[in-house]
């Protein structure tokens, strides 16, 4: 069986990039897309939230505005420097994080759970469990089933002023694909190339169970957002 690491990630375009190939400039300019409403609907105002992979704070802003007490984590200092409003930030790799503190909820969004590196995924999920208070929640965003098959090179979609184009998608072994997406915004263009592992629901739930987590509910009709709880 082929195993994949994060080494295949890269980005091109103006400005700095994160180790997983995200453009800091691009993510600093993106506006919210409603995903934070899903998180806000799941948690009471005042809840503490550990946001893993916050980037430049695209989601942090509306989460704080919605009354959550957010701590933002990212392995990119350049991203964290852009997070507004000022919230506690932690510059760390999620897989290594151990704050010796638990939160009412932990957020692992942006398809980070779809990492093609199985060992890495296990560590990400254990970090979620380690930081969840008894009775608390882990909120995860996963790729929708069948996404890889539905993407075609050359297809594109727009959200506001952002246009995303599939430059290439190459199926590899075991449900993994190498995808290159181009992002165009304000006359500038970036690409990100990444490996992702399509995790059908049973496999997703199995991987969560390995980390001591169980899905309580899928929060969206497309079942890409899940709420899980600690089972040990
Ligand atoms: C696609 S961006 C999304 C950022 C933000 N969640 C958003 O929606 O705008 C992914 C972010 O996760 C961070 N990231 C990815 N893997 C990480 C890891 N293992 N540890 C810490 N940060 C990570 C990247 O540095 C990047 O800022």
């Amino acid at each position: 069986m082929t195993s994949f690491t994060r080494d295949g990630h890269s980005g091109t375009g103006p400005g700095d990039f994160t180790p997983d190939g995200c453009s800091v400039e691009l993510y600093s300019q993106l506006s919210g897309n409603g995903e934070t409403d899903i998180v806000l609907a799941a948690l009471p105002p005042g809840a503490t939230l550990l946001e893993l992979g916050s980037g430049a704070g695209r989601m942090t802003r509306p989460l704080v505005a919605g009354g959550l007490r957010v701590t933002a984590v990212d392995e990119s200092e350049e991203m964290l420097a852009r997070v507004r409003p000022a919230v506690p930030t932690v510059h760390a790799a999620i897989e290594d994080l151990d704050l010796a503190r638990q939160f009412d909820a932990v957020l692992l969004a942006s398809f980070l759970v779809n990492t093609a590196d199985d060992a890495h995924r296990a560590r990400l999920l254990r970090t979620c469990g380690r930081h969840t208070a008894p009775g608390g929640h882990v909120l995860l965003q996963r790729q929708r089933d069948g996404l890889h098959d539905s993407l075609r090179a050359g297809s594109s979609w727009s959200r506001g002023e952002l246009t995303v184009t599939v430059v290439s998608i190459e199926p590899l072994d075991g449900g993994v694909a190498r995808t290159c997406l181009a992002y165009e915004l304000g006359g500038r263009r970036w690409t990100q190339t990444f490996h992702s592992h399509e995790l059908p629901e049973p496999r997703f739930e199995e991987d969560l169970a390995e980390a001591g987590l169980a899905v309580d509910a899928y929060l969206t009709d497309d079942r890409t957002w899940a709420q899980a709880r600690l089972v040990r």
Side-chain angles (χ1 to χ4, degrees):
M1 183 178 162
T2 313
S3 67
F4 295 91
T5 67
R6 290 209 303 150
D7 296 349
H9 290 237
S10 60
T12 65
D16 292 321
F17 290 86
T18 63
D20 68 343
C22 297
S23 156
V24 176
E25 293 293 325
L26 170 66
Y27 276 88
S28 303
Q29 290 177 56
L30 291 183
S31 48
N33 58 9
E35 284 156 358
T36 45
D37 291 345
I38 300 162
V39 178
L40 289 169
L43 302 175
T48 55
L49 177 73
L50 183 66
E51 184 189 4
L52 300 173
S54 64
R58 182 178 69 99
M59 299 181 75
T60 317
R61 256 188 316 278
L63 293 173
V64 171
L68 300 181
R69 291 183 285 152
V70 179
T71 298
V73 176
D74 207 283
E75 64 186 339
S76 161
E77 272 185 303
E78 291 81 5
M79 285 285 201
L80 287 177
R82 314 249 179 150
V83 174
R84 298 289 179 277
V87 296
T89 59
V90 182
H91 176 219
I94 296 165
E95 56 274 25
D96 296 332
L97 192 71
D98 192 352
L99 297 174
R101 178 187 162 195
Q102 274 95 38
F103 295 76
D104 297 323
V106 175
L107 174 63
L108 187 69
S110 305
F111 316 108
L112 296 183
V113 73
N114 290 98
T115 173
D117 180 340
D118 293 340
H120 187 237
R121 181 178 323 108
R123 293 176 67 193
L124 297 180
L125 291 172
R126 281 199 294 269
T127 294
C128 294
R130 204 160 46 239
H131 292 91
T132 304
H137 303 293
V138 181
L139 301 171
L140 304 109
Q141 185 184 27
R142 59 188 275 270
Q143 271 183 208
R144 74 175 158 75
D145 291 348
L147 178 71
H148 290 167
D149 278 345
S150 71
L151 292 180
R152 295 279 174 272
S155 62
S156 71
W157 58 94
S158 295
R159 207 175 55 219
E161 294 187 353
L162 172 72
T163 302
V164 184
T165 303
V166 181
V167 176
S168 60
I169 176 153
E170 182 189 348
L172 305 172
D173 287 350
V176 172
R178 180 190 294 124
T179 307
C180 176
L181 298 180
Y183 299 88
E184 285 165 84
L185 182 69
R188 299 197 291 171
R189 183 178 190 273
W190 295 267
T191 67
Q192 184 184 10
T193 302
F194 55 93
H195 288 156
S196 59
H197 192 317
E198 198 152 280
L199 293 175
E201 234 169 85
R203 170 64 194 271
F204 171 68
E205 294 190 8
E206 248 170 60
D207 286 2
L208 261 65
E210 290 279 319
L213 299 169
V215 172
D216 267 336
Y218 287 93
L219 303 176
T220 50
D221 289 344
D222 64 4
R223 300 172 83 80
T224 57
W225 278 91
Q227 175 176 305
R229 71 186 144 82
L230 287 175
V231 284
R232 62 166 190 262

